[in-house]
Amino acid sequence: MPTPSLQAKRAYYAKVRQSNYTASLRLAGFDTTPADGERKLPSRESLRSAYRCEV
């Protein structure tokens, strides 16, 4: 049996990580849909600008 490539391993672990995250949200009582896993997270800079205090 051939060993899987590095790209295949990364894709597998990304899929498992997303599945585990969705399962943990369900266990915590949040309503989730499969579409929740497909959304991209906001960039770090956009989060910083949203929470930055303007004095």
Side-chain angles (χ1 to χ4, degrees):
M1 184 172 180
T3 58
S5 68
L6 180 61
Q7 184 178 7
K9 289 177 184 179
R10 286 182 177 169
Y12 170 77
Y13 283 109
K15 184 175 79 169
V16 168
R17 185 172 47 246
Q18 184 60 44
S19 174
N20 288 344
Y21 176 69
T22 304
S24 69
L25 285 176
R26 277 196 313 268
L27 287 172
F30 291 96
D31 292 329
T32 60
T33 64
D36 292 337
E38 301 299 322
R39 271 189 310 188
K40 294 292 182 187
L41 295 175
S43 69
R44 183 178 291 189
E45 188 56 40
S46 67
L47 287 173
R48 284 181 181 162
S49 65
Y51 291 104
R52 185 173 292 142
C53 288
E54 298 291 329
V55 178

